[in-house]
């Protein structure tokens, strides 16, 4: 029902604009977009593309799915420049490589030229995609680290979700839930490395040097210089190896723990706020989904979580008409009702306050009030702790996933072993990258 309401509100808002498009596709400039969206994300994006195409008669945007972000990014890097798309949608982790390449025209160039107003962009989102005062891309969506929970299981165990502020709080709640028979397992965490990166931001320490690569090029991994990484790994090792919790023990452990959560066997799960929401239909009537901001490792941390998500990049193919078409689509996409629609349809957090307060997203919030806590988590972020920017993020992700999983599945492989392997491997990869890509 909500999807119908969301689509209806957007259609009514844009109807006057859309009615003017009447020119045949062959007379327009074709603007190609490569993306990694599937499911409801692709449905929402395709709707925006169709509405843009109907709103004017100069450009025809064509959206092309290129696989998950790993496959998508690998293809982008391997493709000759002349065969690349005109717009590229990808996750924030690819920002380091893209911003250092000669493949991209920063959107700041068009913003400055046109005096285009992006002042309403949520400040932490803007900080995420900005290096040296240059906004490189336009955000499409935001996700925050969240604790998703089975409302009925926690209520039956006498657990107030608002009280779950630290990992120790969650662990204590997990014990209560399982001892009371409300679920087979208490809590777990998705293992795709992003969670570890978020806890590094929360620690107040940097992942890599030069202020997470934002004050200069990354030269080494510093995630454990002050013991922050070891503290994070020890916190999860000590809790997730308990028999009443569920440890992710594979490098890409989204299936086992997520299936357990959706089936009601696992009462709490730390992961992307949006990733869980888009699985909501799989819960059926088994329980009511709730979310709060993810717990801290402990009360000693000094940072904040960082927004995650994905964005749109204008590709520099030396063709002004194509880059202008890409920019025209981004300007259309930036309208509050369009961005509000995308967030409401997909479960992502809006990228601006205007989108958050849009008619379509307001309706969504009324049906899903827990998303307000995730928005507040975004607002409470500190721009000083946004994520790292470096060219071997792809490789870093794989290293962290495997080390974290091995730590939880191999009794002989301890937290300090995992951290040491991550730091050493990342330093090696950074060195090789910088040598191959001199500045």
């Amino acid at each position: 029902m909500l999807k119908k309401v969301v689509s209806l509100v957007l259609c009514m808002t844009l109807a006057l604009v859309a009615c003017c498009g009447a020119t045949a596709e062959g007379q327009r400039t074709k603007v190609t977009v490569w993306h990694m969206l599937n499911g409801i994300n692709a449905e929402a994006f395709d709707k925006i593309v169709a509405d843009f195409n109907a709103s004017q008669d100069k450009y025809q945007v064509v959206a092309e799915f290129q696989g998950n972000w790993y496959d998508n990014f690998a293809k982008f890097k391997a493709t000759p420049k002349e065969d690349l798309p005109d717009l590229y949608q990808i996750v924030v982790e690819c920002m380091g490589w893209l911003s250092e390449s000669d493949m991209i025209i920063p959107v700041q160039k068009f913003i400055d030229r046109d005096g285009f107003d992006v002042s309403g962009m949520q400040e932490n989102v803007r900080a995420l995609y900005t290096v040296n005062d240059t906004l490189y891309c336009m955000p499409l969506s935001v996700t925050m680290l969240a604790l998703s929970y089975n409302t009925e299981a926690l209520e039956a165990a006498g657990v107030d979700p608002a009280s779950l502020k630290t990992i120790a709080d969650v662990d204590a709640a997990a014990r209560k839930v399982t001892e009371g028979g409300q679920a087979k397992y208490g809590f777990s965490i998705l293992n795709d490395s992003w969670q570890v990166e978020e806890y590094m931001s929360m620690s107040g320490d940097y992942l890599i040097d030069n202020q997470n690569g934002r004050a200069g090029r990354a030269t080494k991994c510093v995630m454990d210089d002050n013991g922050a990484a070891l503290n994070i790994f020890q916190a999860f090792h000590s809790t997730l190896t308990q028999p009443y919790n569920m440890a992710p023990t594979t490098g890409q452990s989204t299936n086992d723990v997520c299936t357990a959560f959706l089936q009601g066997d696992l009462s709490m799960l730390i992961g992307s706020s949006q990733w869980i929401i888009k699985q909501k239909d799989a819960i059926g009537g088994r329980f009511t989904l709730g979310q709060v901001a993810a717990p801290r490792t402990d009360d000693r941390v000094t940072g904040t979580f960082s927004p995650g998500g994905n964005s749109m990049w204008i590709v520099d193919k030396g063709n002004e008409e194509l880059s202008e078409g890409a920019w025209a689509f981004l300007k259309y996409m930036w309208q509050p009702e369009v961005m509000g629609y995308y967030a409401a349809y997909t479960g992502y957090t809006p990228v601006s306050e205007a989108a958050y307060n849009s008619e379509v997203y307001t309706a969504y919030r009324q049906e899903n009030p827990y998303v307000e806590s995730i928005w507040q988590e975004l607002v409470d972020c500190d721009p000083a702790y946004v994520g790292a920017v470096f060219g071997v993020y792809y490789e870093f992700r794989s290293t962290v996933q495997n080390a974290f999983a091995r730590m939880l599945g191999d009794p002989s492989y301890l937290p300090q072993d995992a951290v040491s392997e991550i730091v050493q491997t990342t330093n090696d990869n950074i060195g090789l990258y910088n040598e191959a890509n001199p500045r």
Side-chain angles (χ1 to χ4, degrees), residues 239-251:
T239 53
L240 291 178
T241 52
Q242 298 299 321
Y244 51 85
N245 290 323
M246 185 177 184
T249 54
T250 61

Side-chain angles (χ1 to χ4, degrees), residues 156-219:
V159 175
D160 178 5
S163 70
L164 304 177
K165 301 298 186 182
T166 66
I167 295 297
D169 295 337
V170 175
D171 187 52
R175 183 187 289 270
K176 290 183 69 175
V177 168
T178 54
E179 287 179 348
Q182 279 77 41
K184 183 178 180 179
Y185 298 108
F187 96 98
S188 189
I189 185 171
L190 293 180
N191 179 25
D192 66 0
S193 172
W194 180 65
Q195 283 68 229
V196 172
E197 297 153 31
E198 285 294 302
Y199 277 101
M200 281 302 305
S201 295
M202 173 59 81
S203 76
D205 282 2
Y206 293 122
L207 191 67
I208 57 173
D209 63 348
N210 289 321
Q211 298 178 27
N212 263 351
R214 293 176 179 275
R217 196 178 210 190
T219 65

Side-chain angles (χ1 to χ4, degrees), residues 143-155 159-162 164 167 170-171 173-174 177 183 185-190 194-195 199 245 257-280 283 287-295 305 347 349 364 370-371 373-374 377:
T143 189
M144 296 297 299
L145 194 64
L147 177 70
S148 298
Y149 60 87
N150 179 324
T151 301
E152 287 76 19
L154 266 60
E155 285 181 352
V159 175
D160 178 5
L164 304 177
I167 295 297
V170 175
D171 187 52
V177 168
Y185 298 108
F187 96 98
S188 189
I189 185 171
L190 293 180
W194 180 65
Q195 283 68 229
Y199 277 101
N245 290 323
V257 294
C258 189
T259 298
F261 179 74
L262 298 174
Q263 293 295 320
D265 293 330
L266 174 67
S267 66
M268 294 172 286
L269 179 61
I270 297 173
S272 160
S273 57
Q274 188 270 347
W275 197 90
I276 293 298
I277 288 176
K278 74 178 183 179
Q279 312 295 326
K280 191 175 178 180
I283 294 173
F287 64 88
T288 305
L289 174 67
Q291 281 188 340
V292 291
F305 289 126
T349 301
Y364 177 76
Y370 57 84
V371 301
S373 67
I374 305 303
E377 182 184 10

Side-chain angles (χ1 to χ4, degrees), residues 130-152:
T130 298
V131 178
N132 295 325
D133 298 321
T134 297
L135 181 66
Y136 274 87
C137 52
M138 289 292 274
L140 174 64
S141 57
V142 176
T143 189
M144 296 297 299
L145 194 64
L147 177 70
S148 298
Y149 60 87
N150 179 324
T151 301
E152 287 76 19

